[in-house]
Amino acid sequence: MRLGFVGTGALSSAIVTGLKSLPGETTPVAVSPRNEEIAADLAQRFPDVRVAADNQAVLDQCDTVMLAVRPQIAREVLGELRFRPGHHVVSLIATISREEIASLVAPAARVGKALPMPMIARLQGATLVCPPDPIVAAFFSRLGGVIEVEDQSEFDALTVVTATYASYFKYLDTIHAWVRSQGVAGDKARDYITSIYKALANAPDTMPNADFMHLAQDYATRGGINEQVLRELTERGAFEAFAESLGRVHRRIAGG
Ligand SMILES: NC(=O)c1ccc[n+]([C@@H]2O[C@H](COP(=O)([O-])OP(=O)(O)OC[C@H]3O[C@@H](n4cnc5c(N)ncnc54)[C@H](OP(=O)(O)O)[C@@H]3O)[C@@H](O)[C@H]2O)c1
């Protein structure tokens, strides 16, 4: 594989960093010159990474090209480029459909979407790949895992998961702020919360056949303090409001 990136921003940088952290990894990578600082940093850190003269030079040097510009400029940028029929195009642009990308990169015939997350830099967090593609799946499976997705509607629904990170941290922050209000030092509270939530994140792996509600019930001992918080939040509609918010995000993503 000769890999190229059109758009060298946060996400491209994370993918290249993750890729090049793999032992013995020598895939040649061409990155576009924007962002100048990020491109130069990648080329300086990794001997197989070169900064191409422009976006067209990226395409000319690679067989597999990841599109990682912001959606607002994607149509203009792609419209100016000449793709080859043999180019394998992987769009990382979250909000433009595979069909539209395929029309913008014609005559490239093999076109798919992938949704990696920035934690790929540390080889963590699975990447969604749509439609299933053995080459793209093999690539991302080494970088934190891959979930292959059959169609756009499944892809859109799973994409909604990525809208919940900030509220997850707000949830932890609520716990942290409350514990601090009781006079506990901030660092101590942070260390404890981090340690416990890391352990909880492993629970689904230790009980692979249990769904999340089963895990919730497992922790909610009858009459206990977990049951109390779960019941009080449920009664006040916290989870219902959360689910409604997911629905609104989905309508935004899927354009419905
Ligand atoms: N970051 C995420 O968590 C994430 C997750 C999933 C999907 N995505 C998708 O990935 C894409 C990139 O996201 P990002 O977070 O990496 O954004 P970003 O950091 O803004 O990177 C986009 C890069 O494109 C460069 N650029 C601007 N004009 C260009 C042009 N004409 N030709 C080539 N490159 C150009 C920008 O350079 P300048 O800085 O010089 O303007 C910037 O470095 C987006 O479509 C986003 O939807 C991002």
Side-chain angles (χ1 to χ4, degrees):
M1 178 189 283
R2 287 177 304 140
L3 182 60
F5 287 86
V6 172
T8 310
L11 193 56
S12 299
S13 174
I15 296 169
V16 175
T17 301
L19 178 69
K20 293 301 171 189
S21 74
L22 296 171
E25 218 300 320
T26 56
T27 305
V29 177
V31 296
S32 58
R34 276 183 73 177
N35 174 279
E36 198 180 340
E37 212 172 293
I38 298 174
D41 172 65
L42 290 172
Q44 187 258 321
R45 283 197 288 146
F46 307 114
D48 305 312
V49 178
R50 301 259 183 285
V51 184
D54 54 28
N55 291 335
Q56 186 61 48
V58 171
L59 299 192
D60 296 344
Q61 289 170 39
C62 75
D63 48 58
T64 304
V65 54
M66 303 221 173
L67 308 178
V69 288
R70 291 195 184 144
Q72 295 84 346
I73 61 160
R75 293 168 182 89
E76 189 191 330
V77 170
L78 297 177
E80 289 168 355
L81 297 176
R82 293 180 308 283
F83 286 82
R84 300 190 303 271
H87 268 133
H88 189 173
V89 178
V90 183
S91 172
L92 312 179
I93 305 164
T95 50
I96 302 185
S97 72
R98 195 200 75 84
E99 286 68 26
E100 186 175 355
I101 294 291
S103 71
L104 288 163
V105 302
R110 196 166 179 177
V111 182
K113 286 186 66 164
L115 187 67
M117 287 290 126
M119 49 271 207
I120 198 169
R122 289 172 275 118
L123 307 180
Q124 288 174 358
T127 294
L128 297 179
V129 169
C130 178
D133 179 323
I135 294 177
V136 183
F139 177 84
F140 284 112
S141 65
R142 298 186 299 154
L143 306 184
V146 67
I147 306 277
E148 291 189 275
V149 170
E150 293 302 327
D151 57 34
Q152 183 74 40
S153 68
E154 210 181 356
F155 189 85
D156 288 345
L158 285 165
T159 300
V160 173
V161 174
T162 69
T164 62
Y165 305 161
S167 22
Y168 167 73
F169 286 115
K170 177 66 187 170
Y171 180 88
L172 297 190
D173 178 64
T174 304
I175 302 169
H176 186 247
W178 186 87
V179 173
R180 282 188 64 196
S181 77
Q182 301 302 300
V184 178
D187 287 356
K188 197 178 284 181
R190 188 182 190 280
D191 288 350
Y192 185 58
I193 292 165
T194 303
S195 159
I196 293 295
Y197 274 83
K198 261 191 203 160
L200 284 176
N202 288 324
D205 281 341
T206 60
M207 294 174 72
N209 296 320
D211 59 32
F212 292 119
M213 199 55 216
H214 183 109
L215 289 169
Q217 279 155 359
D218 214 46
Y219 280 93
T221 312
R222 194 178 294 241
I225 56 179
N226 267 275
E227 187 199 49
Q228 179 183 345
V229 175
L230 177 60
R231 178 173 32 80
E232 288 177 5
L233 289 180
T234 305
E235 281 169 4
R236 296 186 70 170
F239 299 110
E240 215 171 275
F242 190 36
E244 284 168 11
S245 189
L246 299 183
R248 282 189 292 274
V249 168
H250 184 240
R251 285 194 284 284
R252 190 169 150 196
I253 288 173

